[in-house]
Amino acid sequence: MDNPTRGVWNYIPTEILSHIFSFLSVRDRQVVSLVCRAWAEAASAGAVWNFTEIRQATEWPA
């Protein structure tokens, strides 16, 4: 039996997906970008990365 909500993700605007993806971790953003082209586009939008802080550790833990 077909699931009527299965295709609903195809109709969510890119802006909405980008907003949702902005709450994900960097790793999860990478994962969602692999789902399909539309999600890759949404995950790579500037709005997703505006408030992302990536730090490099200056010292390795002992």
Side-chain angles (χ1 to χ4, degrees):
M1 183 173 191
D2 288 335
N3 184 348
T5 61
R6 183 176 179 191
V8 74
W9 291 100
N10 296 327
Y11 300 102
I12 297 177
T14 302
E15 295 81 12
I16 302 298
L17 285 174
S18 294
H19 183 73
I20 293 167
F21 295 165
S22 70
F23 294 99
L24 299 176
S25 69
V26 172
R27 174 70 180 130
D28 288 340
R29 292 176 198 177
Q30 178 190 15
V31 171
V32 299
S33 72
L34 299 173
V35 172
C36 65
R37 288 181 184 165
W39 284 30
E41 181 181 342
S44 65
V48 174
W49 298 95
N50 274 345
F51 299 105
T52 302
E53 183 176 308
I54 300 175
R55 293 188 230 172
Q56 179 178 349
T58 56
E59 296 182 23
W60 291 98

